Amino acid sequence: MSIARAERLVNLVLCLLSTRQYLTADRIRTIVPGYPEDANPDAFYRMFERDKAELRDLGIPLETGRNNPFDPAEGYRIARRDYELGDIDLEPDEAAAVALAVRLWDSPELTGAAEVALLKLRAAGVDVDQAAPAAIEPRVRASEPAFATLLQAVQTGRVVTFDYRRPVPAEVRTRTVEPWGVVSWRGRWYLVGHDRDRRAARCFRLSRIVGDAKAVSKPGVVEAPAGVDLMSYVKGFEDDHGQGTLARLWVARGQAQGLRRRARVVGTDVVDGIEGDLLEIELNLPESAAGWIAGFGADVEVLEPDVLRKAVYERLLGALAAADGKAS
């Protein structure tokens, strides 16, 4: 953040804290230093929207309202009762849990947020020791390509669009979503929001997003419904999609014993001159099984369903590319 913008944000906070009335955007423009006097209205409102989003990201509660019903535009203020930090008193074990949570995240997006929270606690006088040894070192990894874009869209209230692959039927469709939150459940990441195409709340697994997600609206357009339970949508999504999928595989004779223990032999076949067995296996989450199956390498070949065959193929290509990169 530039020094000029930081000074403008400080001036904005001081201005909104010092008034009991709601100040309109036009009034703020005239009394808060930092907003160019010669800027056209559109440029000012874009700057002001960015500033509001920045303050909300910092946890500063902006109130909106009108001083009387006849005011033509809404105004803004900051209530001191909401802004001032109350006393925080953590027991030693609670402070240790906070320190462990900060070390939990293994992605730049969430590491930054955790460090900001830690800084606020220390400013409040809470001693949080990050160097204390832990019996375990867990990690929550967010490696999905769309994760950063979707998380930022949730934080700034922007509509997003992305291509989404459905397993049944196997197809890719473009979705336009008002994002409410990004949730982790059982090692997978999900986006919950309002699907504009279906005109209903929907849940999307990030691993099924094809390519990059894009924000397509101005900040502040989206606001999650009050009291919405994101996790209930995710659990409902898994319940709806958790029915077993029958996969058919070719497995080299005498290989992949771990896979064979969960499958049944239904025939034999020869692939590239190698004798093997045809197996059928019930998979609750075919895409999640792709990494496990790819680990058997050339000893296993997926025959169907096609979505699983492609997912295994992509993982094998990724492993090969990584090996080539290390060799070079």
Side-chain angles (χ1 to χ4, degrees), residues 14-31:
L14 293 175
C15 173
L16 297 180
L17 272 174
S18 62
T19 179
R20 293 184 178 180
Q21 294 184 330
Y22 293 102
L23 301 180
T24 65
D26 290 335
R27 177 62 175 156
I28 290 172
R29 181 182 184 181
T30 62
I31 62 178

Side-chain angles (χ1 to χ4, degrees), residues 42 46 49 156-159 216-222:
D42 289 341
R46 287 196 297 269
E49 287 297 326
T156 57
R158 302 182 68 184
V159 179
V216 293
S217 76
K218 295 180 179 179
V221 173
V222 180

Side-chain angles (χ1 to χ4, degrees), residues 95-109:
V98 170
L100 182 60
V102 171
R103 293 153 60 178
L104 174 71
W105 300 107
D106 193 18
S107 71
E109 299 83 11

Side-chain angles (χ1 to χ4, degrees), residues 40-276:
N40 62 60
D42 289 341
F44 162 71
Y45 283 113
R46 287 196 297 269
M47 182 183 298
F48 185 56
E49 287 297 326
R50 289 194 297 269
D51 288 349
K52 287 194 299 179
E54 184 72 29
L55 293 184
R56 289 191 173 107
D57 287 344
L58 292 172
I60 298 175
L62 289 181
E63 286 188 353
T64 60
R66 288 177 167 85
N67 297 311
N68 64 72
F70 303 102
D71 285 345
E74 284 192 333
Y76 305 88
R77 70 182 182 186
I78 299 175
R80 287 187 175 274
R81 65 180 183 277
D82 297 328
Y83 178 77
E84 294 176 347
L85 184 65
D87 293 336
I88 299 177
D89 185 16
L90 297 182
E91 297 297 329
D93 57 338
E94 294 173 330
V98 170
L100 182 60
V102 171
R103 293 153 60 178
L104 174 71
W105 300 107
D106 193 18
S107 71
E109 299 83 11
L110 296 179
T111 298
E115 291 294 343
V116 170
L118 187 63
L119 183 62
K120 291 181 179 179
L121 285 175
R122 285 176 172 160
V126 178
D127 184 18
V128 179
D129 186 7
Q130 280 185 277
I136 57 174
E137 278 292 340
R139 285 290 183 266
V140 174
R141 187 179 300 274
S143 58
E144 305 296 345
F147 177 85
T149 300
L150 296 177
L151 181 63
Q152 186 176 29
V154 170
Q155 294 172 338
T156 57
R158 302 182 68 184
V159 179
V160 294
T161 182
F162 50 83
D163 292 334
Y164 191 72
R165 182 181 71 249
R166 295 184 56 190
V168 181
E171 60 183 4
V172 176
R173 290 187 178 180
T174 300
R175 300 292 180 86
T176 302
V177 179
E178 299 173 8
W180 297 342
V182 179
V183 180
S184 176
W185 172 248
R186 293 180 175 175
R188 303 179 186 88
W189 288 96
Y190 301 84
L191 171 71
V192 180
H194 177 77
D195 188 334
R196 287 187 171 182
D197 303 303
R198 294 188 175 184
R199 299 180 181 179
R202 287 292 186 270
C203 181
F204 304 91
R205 190 183 299 170
L206 266 60
S207 61
R208 293 180 182 171
I209 294 178
V210 180
D212 297 326
K214 298 179 181 178
V216 293
S217 76
K218 295 180 179 179
V221 173
V222 180
E223 185 173 351
V228 63
D229 185 358
L230 301 180
M231 192 59 70
S232 66
Y233 283 99
V234 174
K235 293 179 180 178
F237 174 86
E238 285 298 349
D239 290 341
D240 292 341
H241 295 78
Q243 62 271 23
T245 297
L246 187 65
R248 191 176 178 88
L249 315 171
W250 173 88
V251 179
R253 186 69 52 81
Q255 302 300 317
Q257 297 302 322
L259 192 152
R260 288 176 179 273
R261 282 194 292 269
R262 297 182 53 186
R264 63 180 179 272
V265 178
V266 296
T268 60
D269 198 359
V270 177
V271 173
D272 295 333
I274 302 175
E275 294 184 354

